[in-house]
Amino acid sequence: MAKLISSLAMSGDGSAPTAPSLSLPRPPPHVELIWSPAMDPARPECPFQYLIETLNDNPEKKFYNIAKLGGTKYDILPYSIRVLLETAVRNCDGFLVKKEDAMNILDWKTKQNNVEVPFYPARVLLQDFTGIPAMVDFAAMREAVKNLGGDPMKVHPACPTDLTVDHSLQIDFSKCAIQNAPNPGGGDLQRPLAKISPHKAQPRKVPCRGQTGCKGPCDAGESSRNSGKFSAQIENTPILCPFHLQPVPEPETVLKNQEVEFGRNRERLQFFKWGSKVFRNVAVIPPGTGMAHQMNLEYLSRVVFEIKDFLYPDSVVGTDSHTTMVNGLGILGWGVGGIETEAVMLGMPVALTLPEVVGCELTGLASPLATSIDVVLSITKQLRQAGVAGKFVEFFGTGVSQLSVADRTTIANMCPEYGAILSFFPVDNVTLKHLQHTGFDKAKLESMEAYLKAVKLFRNNQISSEEPEYTQIIQIDLSSITPYVSGPKRPQDRVAITNMKSDFQACLNEKIGFKGFQIATEKQNDIVPVEYEGNEYRLSHGSVVIAAVISCTNNCNPSVMLAAGLLARKAVEAGLMVKPYIRTSLSPGSGMVTHYLSSSGVLPYLSKLGFEVVGYGCSTCVGNTAPLPEAIRNAIKQGDLVACGVLSGNKNFEGRLCDCVRANYLASPPLVVAYAIAGTVNIDFQTEPLGIDPNGKNIYLHDVWPTREELQQVEEEYVISSMFKELKEKMEKGNKRWNFLEAPESVLFPWDLKSTYIRCPSFFDKLAKEPVSLQPIENAHVLLYLGDSVTTDHISPAGSIARNSAAAKYLTNKGLTPREFNSYGARRGNDAVMTRGTFANIKLLNKFIGKPAPKTVHLPSGQMLDVFEAAELYQKEGIPLIILAGKKYGLGSSRDWTAKGPFLLGVKAVIAESYEKTHKGHLIGIGIAPLQFLPGENANVLGLTGKEQFSVSFPQELFPGITLDIKTNTGKVFSVIASFENNVETTIYKHGGILNYVARRFL
């Protein structure tokens, strides 16, 4: 096996790989040069060579015709399973992928949920927050292999790996003013921050860049804004060259935020650039370009690979849970942890249980008032209720053809919220039309269509008799969907717009829980006056203080973004405004979104309401919102107000946006703008006005809501192929700051012992050439005693670093000031910071403490300490640790630090009632045993207090689902299930985790 992986790590001719260029390390995705021996169709051990055919008798276009493999068996397979089958057939070598695996997939109807199958994705997608641990581990693995006598030059990714730097953006500048003191952090800026003044940027004349035959500088006045039909002239917005209809320099806010981002994250960026130079097949997409799943959709997707005259379906796994977005384009893909991604990068397949496939039949057409986010949330709720966790979902029916690719990708993007592995839309005529508009050439599309039809991966919307068979079918009538928001604490809690006011008032009354805030009746109408910028405002329960149209879920769909812009235009023309204390921001998924908002003329109106482009990347969604004004924070605390945030994202757990904002609602972009104008969520849009115009007339939501006809007209006129062309040109040209960034070129990364950003992790410190026998867990104490629905947000470090946290103490001891702390995401390459930030969420509810706090009790001494401090004390005493938990432990986005952090804290096992599947895989992947109470049992039923000491032994012949006995020091004995699902997981656990397992394969 080591020989096989070593060969995968070399270039196609067996020579040592060459260092890639400094900007984009490989060609654009439609010019493929990547080849691996594992893909060689002529290798003798492949038992399916007889299926190789030429496309249209063209010897330069070959493929495996899997449609001929099983006759009617193949014809009834869901399309997503057909893609799994193709990867197994093409990569079958009798070793990592056996003929039996392919035949099991072909027999999906009878084998689903009963057998484990391998999946070789065509490529890997990383984003910087979760990608940096993978890259750091990769660098550390090189050292480990060298230290044990291996060749570190063999450690290379075996497949195309794209890493987008999109999660580092923080909103330091908004509305052309300094919102938060800029923090240089990891390096010096290219120019002193002191020279950046918070003045409003003035319109300026700048020559077109990269254009030939330009008649002169682009005028920043009315002539550069399409038609001049919009009356308001608003400064500091992206404008178009009147001769080329291409964007001219970005607003000063974006440039300032990018400059601070490069300075703050210099060490991380230098590490990424080192990786792109020394690791074969690694491409780093620099800051300011776009977010991972948006780039995956707009630039990196192939739909069909064509390498060395061989065609096969595009597929991907990524460290971002929203990798699933590309399933809307007919590309099979889903999110995994950084550990699993590393295994794929090293030439190993992803192991999964052959999934059930739920067919979701869509019929009808949504009403004009229902935006794509309404469709998404409605489908989310119905699929969650149907119980699709751990399954594939595949869409079919007459309603599918009514959905654009943008609608489909929005729906697919939300599948982690209803627990499905992925949500798949097979390629059809709508897909091909979209690809034609986004820059695919005619010849590429013709061969793509011919290939997909030949292997029956192309969906014909007209012939319902050809629909595959599914495990179960769910029917959804789109015409029944009405506008909703979700909140105030969880994305699955949907509230109809018509019921919003009554529901919020009910939340004030309810006991503290998933929805309630338990505000005394006599205090529910409290008003707190506050002075801000010389004016007096009145805050109350429901007051909106954060309104963010952010780069997640919705921005891939032009219709909802244009709806927000058109609503803003109508509101501004009606004389409505947003109160200045509300933290408004617009963070698009890519420059393409800015382009069509600008070219359609609506961006100035969004800016006028405070929704100015702050940059490209995750910001508010991951807790990177600038602090609220001090006067507003004080007023909220003074009145104990339930202040609100409204965002067009997909995560709204309590405390995620800001610790003083208790209620957070997910809404479509136009509704985010509407609630910002209203200034409160405690409003009935049907009967109460958004505001009053200068003439004293009430303006209602229906007065400013754009019609479907308006949206379609603007979308047809401005959402055109030139936007994708501009994005691709930007990608290929690279980022000037990135291009000039210096980085080392050594085979091993030169770790800086003084660095607080990049540190060699300790996962390989005890690595031996052979695994040791399984060791018992003896006399373990409980580090945390948790309840139900503990999310990855509760476990994994995210957002800003609190000044009183264990991570802050560590950084302070390293000589950093609070201004230099940066965020946890920026420091994911430092295991010392991340370990201290594990379980540091202020909303963590530990039963030992009895109230939300990132604290626990050190049981031997009875001290209440930070979780890290207690774990550190246990480790000094040589005491192993476990965690007790309830149902659905590990809900939320896929994050490998939810496992790495507890592992480095000394946790040996988790005992829970049930697990989120992906998180359980991460626990196994790092070497933590996932133990599960027997059905009907939990800690409370068994009479456990959590203060006992626990011991458990593992048999050397560990197998999936084995029952183990746990003994306590009180004499109580109870049984648990070792929640391993297959032999691969037990093997990985015996090796002490997948990192050790893979590293040993190089020796």
Side-chain angles (χ1 to χ4, degrees):
M1 183 170 185
K3 181 178 180 181
L4 171 68
I5 298 179
S6 298
S7 68
L8 291 176
M10 303 299 285
S11 58
D13 58 2
S15 61
T18 57
S21 63
L22 296 184
S23 182
L24 286 178
R26 56 183 177 81
H30 309 305
V31 185
E32 299 294 351
L33 297 178
I34 302 164
W35 181 252
S36 169
M39 302 175 185
D40 186 357
R43 62 193 187 281
E45 62 268 34
C46 178
F48 295 107
Q49 294 184 48
Y50 68 93
L51 294 176
I52 297 176
E53 294 184 1
T54 59
L55 186 66
N56 298 329
D57 297 323
N58 184 346
E60 296 183 352
K61 293 183 183 295
K62 296 186 282 287
F63 67 98
Y64 282 93
N65 193 346
I66 53 174
K68 293 185 176 181
L69 183 60
T72 55
K73 272 188 178 182
Y74 180 84
D75 292 339
I76 66 171
L77 289 179
Y79 290 90
S80 52
I81 299 299
R82 297 178 194 184
V83 177
L84 285 181
L85 177 60
E86 194 281 337
T87 65
V89 166
R90 175 167 40 87
N91 291 286
C92 185
D93 60 0
F95 181 47
L96 291 177
V97 182
K98 301 176 181 179
K99 183 177 180 180
E100 180 186 0
D101 295 322
M103 302 313 294
N104 281 338
I105 297 174
L106 182 63
D107 290 332
W108 168 83
K109 186 176 180 180
T110 59
K111 296 294 182 66
Q112 57 182 293
N113 219 26
N114 291 320
V115 296
E116 176 190 294
V117 296
F119 170 55
Y120 262 112
R123 55 191 175 91
V124 162
L125 178 70
L126 306 173
Q127 49 91 342
D128 55 317
F129 266 24
T130 51
I132 192 169
M135 295 298 291
V136 167
D137 291 346
F138 226 66
M141 191 179 293
R142 277 195 160 197
E143 290 208 0
V145 168
K146 181 179 183 296
N147 291 338
L148 290 177
D151 183 0
M153 283 294 290
K154 292 182 179 179
V155 183
H156 290 276
C159 65
T161 302
D162 300 292
L163 189 150
T164 61
V165 185
D166 69 332
H167 275 49
S168 303
L169 177 66
Q170 295 189 36
I171 305 173
D172 295 289
F173 297 94
S174 177
K175 303 179 184 178
C176 291
I178 296 179
Q179 298 288 340
N180 189 21
N183 163 26
D188 297 327
L189 299 178
Q190 292 182 353
R191 63 187 177 93
L193 286 171
K195 294 183 180 180
I196 301 178
S197 59
H199 66 279
K200 179 174 285 188
Q202 300 299 317
R204 48 192 171 173
K205 295 185 178 181
V206 183
C208 289
R209 295 170 292 177
Q211 304 285 356
T212 58
C214 183
K215 300 177 183 178
C218 295
D219 195 302
E222 283 297 312
S223 64
S224 65
R225 296 190 176 98
N226 278 343
S227 62
K229 61 185 178 181
F230 302 136
S231 58
Q233 178 167 337
I234 302 170
E235 299 172 344
N236 193 35
T237 59
I239 55 179
L240 300 182
C241 165
F243 307 113
H244 307 106
L245 293 182
Q246 295 293 320
V248 295
E250 297 170 281
E252 192 166 344
T253 301
V254 175
L255 298 178
K256 287 179 178 178
N257 280 319
Q258 285 183 7
E259 184 170 18
V260 175
E261 182 180 0
F262 262 83
R264 175 185 287 129
N265 298 293
R266 181 173 300 279
E267 286 184 35
R268 297 169 60 246
L269 295 178
Q270 288 175 327
F271 174 75
F272 286 143
K273 193 162 186 177
W274 168 81
S276 71
K277 293 164 73 173
V278 302
F279 289 127
R280 178 176 176 267
N281 283 348
V282 172
V284 176
I285 299 170
T289 309
M291 66 189 306
H293 41 286
Q294 196 81 14
M295 293 296 96
N296 192 20
L297 178 72
E298 295 176 10
Y299 181 75
L300 301 172
S301 294
R302 284 80 155 171
V303 184
V304 172
F305 267 80
E306 187 170 346
I307 297 181
K308 293 287 185 180
D309 304 330
F310 218 85
L311 288 84
Y312 55 93
D314 188 3
S315 57
V316 61
V317 293
T319 57
D320 189 290
S321 60
H322 300 288
T323 304
T324 54
M325 189 184 220
V326 293
N327 289 278
L329 202 59
I331 298 170
L332 194 72
W334 65 90
V336 297
I339 298 174
E340 300 98 322
T341 309
E342 291 170 36
V344 175
M345 292 163 65
L346 291 167
M348 298 184 65
V350 174
L352 75 158
T353 301
L354 189 61
E356 298 179 14
V357 182
V358 177
C360 185
E361 183 178 14
L362 301 181
T363 59
L365 183 65
S367 71
L369 288 179
T371 65
S372 292
I373 193 63
D374 299 317
V375 174
V376 168
L377 293 178
S378 179
I379 292 175
T380 296
K381 181 178 181 179
Q382 294 190 53
L383 291 176
R384 185 184 292 274
Q385 292 174 341
V388 297
K391 303 175 184 179
F392 283 11
V393 174
E394 188 167 294
F395 292 86
F396 71 101
T398 57
V400 174
S401 61
Q402 306 298 321
L403 298 178
S404 67
V405 167
D407 293 328
R408 299 175 188 190
T409 53
T410 306
I411 293 169
N413 195 24
M414 286 293 283
C415 86
E417 309 313 317
Y418 45 82
I421 298 175
L422 56 86
S423 295
F424 192 73
F425 289 84
V427 175
D428 60 8
N429 288 322
V430 174
T431 314
L432 293 181
K433 185 177 180 180
H434 169 82
L435 295 175
Q436 183 180 359
H437 290 161
T438 58
F440 277 69
D441 62 68
K442 184 178 180 181
K444 169 78 173 178
L445 287 174
E446 287 177 351
S447 63
M448 177 189 300
E449 182 177 2
Y451 165 71
L452 292 173
K453 287 182 175 179
V455 295
K456 297 184 179 181
L457 285 173
F458 189 88
R459 184 175 179 275
N460 188 336
N461 297 324
Q462 306 302 319
I463 306 175
S464 59
S465 62
E466 290 189 358
E467 300 293 0
E469 294 185 8
Y470 296 102
T471 307
Q472 70 179 99
I473 292 177
I474 300 170
Q475 294 180 325
I476 298 178
D477 183 0
L478 300 180
S479 64
S480 66
I481 295 174
T482 55
Y484 282 83
V485 298
S486 286
K489 299 181 182 182
R490 302 187 303 175
Q492 64 263 39
D493 296 325
R494 298 169 68 232
V495 184
I497 293 299
T498 53
N499 300 331
M500 181 62 171
K501 183 171 184 176
S502 59
D503 187 83
F504 179 74
Q505 292 173 345
C507 290
L508 295 181
N509 284 314
E510 288 183 20
K511 291 182 179 180
I512 293 176
F514 290 138
K515 291 198 69 172
F517 297 103
Q518 199 170 356
I519 302 299
T521 304
E522 64 273 14
K523 293 183 176 294
Q524 291 180 13
N525 295 318
D526 285 0
I527 301 293
V528 180
V530 58
E531 185 172 323
Y532 182 73
E533 294 184 349
N535 296 310
E536 184 173 298
Y537 300 94
R538 294 155 61 86
L539 296 184
S540 60
H541 295 292
S543 289
V544 173
V545 294
I546 295 175
V549 178
I550 59 176
S551 56
C552 195
T553 302
N554 310 301
N555 295 356
C556 65
N557 195 319
S559 65
V560 292
M561 295 300 291
L562 289 171
L566 291 173
L567 188 149
R569 174 168 69 87
K570 289 187 175 186
V572 170
E573 290 174 343
L576 302 182
M577 293 297 293
V578 174
K579 295 177 178 63
Y581 59 79
I582 298 177
R583 277 284 183 260
T584 51
S585 61
L586 170 60
S587 182
S590 74
M592 187 195 76
V593 181
T594 305
H595 186 172
Y596 66 66
L597 290 177
S598 177
S599 62
S600 61
V602 299
L603 194 56
Y605 297 95
L606 286 165
S607 180
K608 182 70 173 178
L609 294 180
F611 292 95
E612 187 173 88
V613 176
V614 296
Y616 304 98
C618 293
S619 50
T620 306
C621 195
V622 293
N624 286 347
T625 303
L628 296 178
E630 186 175 356
I632 302 302
R633 291 177 63 93
N634 291 339
I636 293 172
K637 293 178 180 179
Q638 175 188 336
D640 191 26
L641 299 179
V642 180
C644 297
V646 187
L647 63 154
S648 61
N650 62 2
K651 293 290 195 309
N652 62 333
F653 300 117
E654 186 177 5
R656 184 181 179 100
L657 303 189
C658 179
D659 58 3
C660 65
V661 179
R662 285 190 272 174
N664 299 300
Y665 288 92
L666 306 180
S668 64
L671 282 176
V672 171
V673 177
Y675 278 114
I677 294 170
T680 181
V681 300
N682 195 14
I683 182 174
D684 183 346
F685 282 138
Q686 291 181 306
T687 61
E688 298 178 65
L690 283 178
I692 302 174
D693 72 7
N695 298 321
K697 177 184 176 182
N698 287 337
I699 304 297
Y700 293 85
L701 179 61
H702 62 77
D703 295 325
V704 296
W705 191 272
T707 65
R708 183 173 293 274
E709 290 72 23
E710 287 176 307
L711 280 173
Q712 289 176 345
Q713 180 181 351
V714 174
E715 190 170 358
E716 285 180 8
E717 188 172 354
Y718 298 108
V719 184
I720 54 177
S721 59
S722 63
M723 299 173 185
F724 287 86
K725 179 182 178 182
E726 188 272 336
L727 171 64
K728 290 174 182 177
E729 288 176 350
K730 181 179 180 180
M731 290 281 293
E732 291 160 17
K733 185 182 297 184
N735 183 300
K736 182 180 293 185
R737 287 189 177 92
W738 172 262
N739 291 341
F740 287 99
L741 183 69
E742 295 182 355
E745 300 186 23
S746 52
V747 172
L748 301 178
F749 184 72
W751 306 100
D752 181 359
L753 298 180
K754 297 180 180 179
S755 174
T756 57
Y757 278 88
I758 308 294
R759 200 175 97 128
C760 187
S762 57
F763 302 123
F764 299 104
D765 286 356
K766 298 180 181 179
L767 179 67
K769 287 187 176 182
E770 298 295 334
V772 298
S773 58
L774 288 175
Q775 300 298 306
I777 301 173
E778 297 180 335
N779 298 317
H781 273 300
V782 175
L783 179 64
L784 293 163
Y785 185 6
L786 307 172
D788 296 340
S789 298
V790 174
T791 70
T792 53
D793 275 10
H794 291 114
I795 306 169
S796 181
S800 59
I801 298 173
R803 296 191 179 191
N804 61 346
S805 65
K809 296 173 186 176
Y810 168 81
L811 294 173
T812 300
N813 290 337
K814 292 289 184 178
L816 274 65
T817 65
R819 288 177 47 151
E820 299 170 314
F821 286 172
N822 210 325
S823 65
Y824 282 113
R827 296 188 182 275
R828 284 199 175 201
N830 185 320
D831 62 312
V833 172
M834 297 303 287
T835 305
R836 286 164 171 80
T838 303
F839 292 112
N841 190 295
I842 60 171
K843 296 302 178 182
L844 179 71
L845 185 56
N846 180 5
K847 294 184 180 181
F848 287 155
I849 305 301
K851 62 181 180 179
K855 302 284 185 180
T856 194
V857 174
H858 176 251
L859 296 173
S861 65
Q863 299 179 75
M864 186 171 71
L865 302 169
D866 287 337
V867 175
F868 171 79
E869 292 173 345
E872 187 178 39
L873 197 53
Y874 280 123
Q875 288 196 20
K876 290 179 180 178
E877 296 165 342
I879 298 174
L881 298 172
I882 65 170
I883 291 173
L884 291 180
K887 299 183 181 72
K888 298 180 180 179
Y889 180 77
L891 284 173
S893 299
S894 171
R895 294 176 178 172
D896 57 347
W897 268 107
T898 56
K900 288 181 177 179
F903 175 81
L904 293 178
L905 287 174
V907 174
K908 303 299 182 182
V910 176
I911 308 176
E913 289 185 67
S914 63
Y915 294 88
E916 195 278 331
K917 181 180 175 65
T918 301
H919 178 62
K920 185 177 70 173
H922 290 173
L923 293 176
I924 297 168
I926 200 63
I928 295 177
L931 308 179
Q932 191 166 329
F933 290 108
L934 297 180
E937 294 186 353
N938 56 39
N940 187 50
V941 170
L942 293 171
L944 300 174
T945 65
K947 298 180 180 180
E948 302 88 351
Q949 289 180 275
F950 298 78
S951 299
V952 59
S953 296
F954 297 92
Q956 295 307 308
E957 295 301 321
L958 185 66
F959 58 85
I962 188 174
T963 299
L964 305 173
D965 288 334
I966 294 185
K967 301 176 182 179
T968 70
N969 63 330
T970 62
K972 184 182 293 293
V973 179
F974 61 96
S975 297
V976 294
I977 300 169
S979 192
F980 302 100
E981 296 195 9
N982 50 59
N983 291 330
V984 171
E985 290 188 346
T986 57
T987 300
I988 288 172
Y989 180 72
K990 289 176 182 178
H991 275 265
I994 198 169
L995 290 174
N996 292 345
Y997 177 75
V998 172
R1000 288 189 177 105
R1001 297 303 174 184
F1002 284 112
L1003 301 174

